[in-house]
Amino acid sequence: MTAVLFDFSGTLFRIESAESWLRSVLAERGTALPETELAATARALEAAGALPGGAFPEQLPAALAGVWEVRDQSSALHRAAYTGLSRQVPLPDPALHDALYDRHMTPAAWAPYPDAAEVLGALRERGVRIGVVSNIGWDLRPVFREHGLDALVDAYVLSYEHGVRKPDPRLFATACAALGVEPERTLMVGDDRRADGGAAALGCRVRFVDHLPVAERPDGLRPVLGLVAPEGPAGRA
């Protein structure tokens, strides 16, 4: 393998909990809720699927079905889909729905998995090219920069910048082209078997990880190192 492509959410990084998300926005805006009401509202937002990178909606409103299907193809569609889901839950101030969406795009809302830096660093030392391929509606580069991982990534291929979303092989092809590598010598690592599994149609090898809370997945990425040999005459994978 000469390159590894990684998904973002649920693979290299994990979004904060719905309660932390809501609590942070309420504090920033000086809005108070009783603890029991705050916890109940966070649960309702989670069930609605309003937190990007969190759980999918338990029941998708018919009025949002169309925008939900194409949400990752532009920034406007992504915001419309998730604020639409958020608005299924009553909040003290209607402006909080957009504030919640804005919060999820901040580096503070994301934590890297414990082995992410180690694995990315080891791959870099082996001369392996690294790309991030994500279905997303906003620029995640500041998240990588803030957490000190940006220098370990050679290319970002984001669905909203190309108008194409995984599992469409074109997005993976764009990533391989950006890295200057052949799909047959590329490994895709992700948590979504349908979306990330689309890389197989291009000829990439695929490995899946579990989308778990950060504290529950300390070493889910480390097995990738066993699939990618160091560069060299006797070490090419």
Side-chain angles (χ1 to χ4, degrees), residues 223-236:
V224 170
L225 298 178
L227 302 176
V228 183
E231 284 262 326
R236 293 188 181 275

Side-chain angles (χ1 to χ4, degrees), residues 85-147:
L85 291 172
S86 175
R87 289 188 177 94
Q88 307 303 305
V89 180
L91 295 177
D93 179 355
L96 286 170
H97 297 290
D98 276 305
L100 284 168
Y101 183 85
D102 292 340
R103 162 72 186 183
H104 104 275
M105 296 187 289
T106 65
W110 295 89
Y113 279 96
D115 56 348
E118 172 193 336
V119 170
L120 293 177
L123 291 173
R124 172 55 61 90
E125 289 177 0
R126 296 179 184 187
V128 175
R129 301 283 285 169
I130 297 170
V132 173
V133 184
S134 179
N135 282 350
I136 199 166
W138 50 277
D139 186 5
L140 51 70
R141 294 172 183 87
V143 175
F144 281 77
R145 286 196 294 269
E146 182 69 22
H147 290 279

Side-chain angles (χ1 to χ4, degrees), residues 67-91:
V67 71
W68 176 257
E69 183 60 27
V70 296
R71 65 193 181 281
D72 298 313
Q73 292 179 200
S74 78
S75 296
L77 290 169
H78 197 266
R79 179 181 287 271
Y82 282 102
T83 57
L85 291 172
S86 175
R87 289 188 177 94
Q88 307 303 305
V89 180
L91 295 177

Side-chain angles (χ1 to χ4, degrees), residues 30-81:
T31 302
L33 282 179
E35 281 297 311
T36 54
E37 185 177 347
L38 189 153
T41 302
R43 288 194 298 270
L45 287 166
E46 185 171 20
L51 174 59
F56 282 173
E58 291 183 3
Q59 186 172 357
L60 182 64
L64 293 175
V67 71
W68 176 257
E69 183 60 27
V70 296
R71 65 193 181 281
D72 298 313
Q73 292 179 200
S74 78
S75 296
L77 290 169
H78 197 266
R79 179 181 287 271

